[in-house]
Amino acid sequence: MALARPLLWRLAMPNTAHSVGSPSAAAPFGAHVYSLLIPRWAAREREADARGACSVPAETVAEVRVSGLLAAPLPRSEGGADADLFACAELVRRVAAEAPATALCLAMPLGNAGNLRLPDEAVPPEQRAQLRAGRAFIAEQVLAGRILAVANSEPGAHGSLERTSTEARLADDGGVLLTGDKSFATWGDAADFFLCAARTHEGKLDAFFVARDAPGVNVCTSWDALGLQTSASVAIQLRAARASHRFLHAGAIQGTSARHWSTVLLGAVFLGVGEGALRALGSELDSGYARAVVAERALALEAAWGFIEAVARADHAPAGPAYRERCQRAKTFAARAAVDAATSALTLAGGRAYRPSHTLARYLHAALAAPLVRPPLATAMDAIAASPELRG
Ligand SMILES: Cc1cc2nc3c(=O)[nH]c(=O)nc-3n(C[C@H](O)[C@H](O)[C@H](O)COP(=O)(O)OP(=O)(O)OC[C@H]3O[C@@H](n4cnc5c(N)ncnc54)[C@H](O)[C@@H]3O)c2cc1C
């Protein structure tokens, strides 16, 4: 029981870095992000939730655009914050503890911006010109404060890129036109571009950035979800929608892209949600059982953060299958720890928390998205069960 107090105390300290999330990790972003922006984003998210709004609050969108965070992975000399994967994970984790939907939103463009750190040498010489052009497109957008969202998921694809059925065909003028249906495109109407996976006429998997306002793009405005309403994770229809740019080089979506950034950042988001739930429960628990459960959940979250930190600090390019698999495991472990923490927090709070509008219900509903986002829990666990190290 002696364990419970120090762990809880650390979780309850506002804007204080965890033992492993050292202050230096937060340094790329400046204190105002933590002391000014996050509390404002959290207050707006709460207020929008209470109103039943299903879009990212406009003032938050505006602040994200001018915050410089979208370009954070770029070197300082190029207008960024030189933020590596660990620094970005720490950022979204801390946003998530107070503003879960805003953190989920931030993870998407940061995942795309992670590709700005791919060196030319990550790909064979014949792909380097395409890679440079792809990076230049991303850099131009993020430096202008444009939001690069992600619309890879499709109805019934169960989070598998392999099941992508959106078609990309060549237009007469050499451009690329996309046709298909996408699901769960976080940011909704507030996005400037969506990264869209699609199949070429040869059946190969590729991806393209499509402008939200391109002809043939229909962004559904309705988003009726259990939680994370203000992430506006809507459906999109693409009907011969013209792509603005290819994603890096041909086939990069499954090849050398830094897609593990999204995996790690999503893990960090939901870990932050779990921490937020325990924090919201508070430390004034009068039951020894309750304190023991909270200590267990806090410990699991701390272990999950250690896993995320380990994979984030090991970021390298090109990332091979074994490293990507470890990133997926870190996200999976964090997702489970977050659901457990949020479930316990609500249960221990008692009947007063058994209302959809209660803070702990909001955290639980947010946490329940953790096993759904890529890789979905079943896919990730099946991969672990089938891994060679478990075979005799
Ligand atoms: C809160 C949240 C945010 C997300 N944000 C993103 C994001 O920004 N970008 C992204 O690419 N992915 C995003 N995802 C998707 C996620 O990564 C997985 O791809 C997805 O959750 C896996 O889908 P599934 O197997 O659970 O559902 P699926 O069965 O694949 O269904 C996905 C969606 O399609 C609908 N659907 C399923 N079958 C049909 C059908 N036959 N006809 C019509 N509709 C159908 C479902 O109701 C659901 O809304 C998000 C998911 C969640 C929960």
Side-chain angles (χ1 to χ4, degrees), residues 65-356:
R65 289 185 192 285
V66 299
S67 66
L69 293 177
L70 296 170
L74 276 172
R76 286 185 194 279
S77 59
E78 293 174 31
D82 202 17
D84 62 12
L85 179 52
F86 178 69
C88 292
E90 174 69 1
L91 171 76
V92 295
R93 165 196 173 206
R94 289 173 68 172
V95 177
E98 297 183 46
T102 310
L104 181 69
C105 286
L106 270 183
M108 303 301 168
L110 279 175
N112 277 325
N115 290 289
L116 293 169
R117 296 172 78 90
L118 276 179
D120 286 2
E121 300 70 40
V123 298
E126 64 274 16
Q127 288 178 329
R128 287 181 189 163
Q130 273 191 348
L131 175 62
R132 276 196 288 272
R135 276 198 319 251
F137 176 81
I138 295 174
E140 180 189 342
Q141 308 315 324
V142 296
L143 286 169
R146 296 194 191 103
I147 292 166
L148 300 178
V150 178
N152 284 334
S153 297
E154 298 190 359
H158 303 303
S160 164
L161 279 180
E162 286 298 334
R163 296 196 200 186
T164 297
S165 61
T166 293
E167 290 176 359
R169 70 174 170 81
L170 273 182
D172 292 342
D173 60 4
V176 176
L177 304 175
L178 271 65
T179 297
D181 292 334
K182 297 294 185 180
S183 51
F184 287 123
T186 290
W187 283 100
D189 244 355
D192 295 292
F193 292 90
F194 296 104
L195 175 67
C196 300
R199 294 215 171 265
T200 65
H201 66 284
E202 300 158 308
K204 290 190 176 149
L205 199 57
D206 212 339
F208 303 85
F209 284 108
V210 177
R212 181 209 55 220
D213 54 6
V217 177
N218 177 26
V219 179
C220 303
T221 45
S222 59
W223 155 244
D224 177 20
L226 190 62
L228 295 168
Q229 274 89 347
T230 61
S231 72
S233 301
V234 301
I236 296 180
Q237 285 136 17
L238 305 169
R239 299 292 178 262
R242 184 169 288 268
S244 298
H245 210 279
R246 168 176 262 141
F247 176 55
L248 304 172
H249 60 83
I253 185 81
Q254 278 202 311
T256 41
S257 71
R259 65 181 188 278
H260 60 281
W261 269 58
S262 297
T263 310
V264 173
L265 293 177
L266 287 171
V269 165
F270 289 103
L271 188 121
V273 170
E275 289 180 337
L278 290 191
R279 221 183 269 174
L281 176 65
S283 54
E284 298 305 315
L285 301 168
D286 52 15
S287 140
Y289 168 75
R291 287 194 294 273
V293 170
V294 167
E296 291 282 358
R297 301 296 175 258
L299 201 52
L301 288 171
E302 192 162 359
W305 180 245
F307 200 171
I308 286 184
E309 177 179 20
V311 293
R313 289 200 188 277
D315 180 27
H316 60 278
Y323 172 65
R324 285 191 210 282
E325 171 68 23
R326 283 198 74 218
C327 292
Q328 298 203 343
R329 291 183 186 192
K331 178 262 159 182
T332 301
F333 192 72
R336 288 162 56 96
V339 171
D340 287 349
T343 306
S344 295
L346 189 142
T347 312
L348 295 173
R352 70 193 163 90
Y354 195 59
R355 288 177 287 126

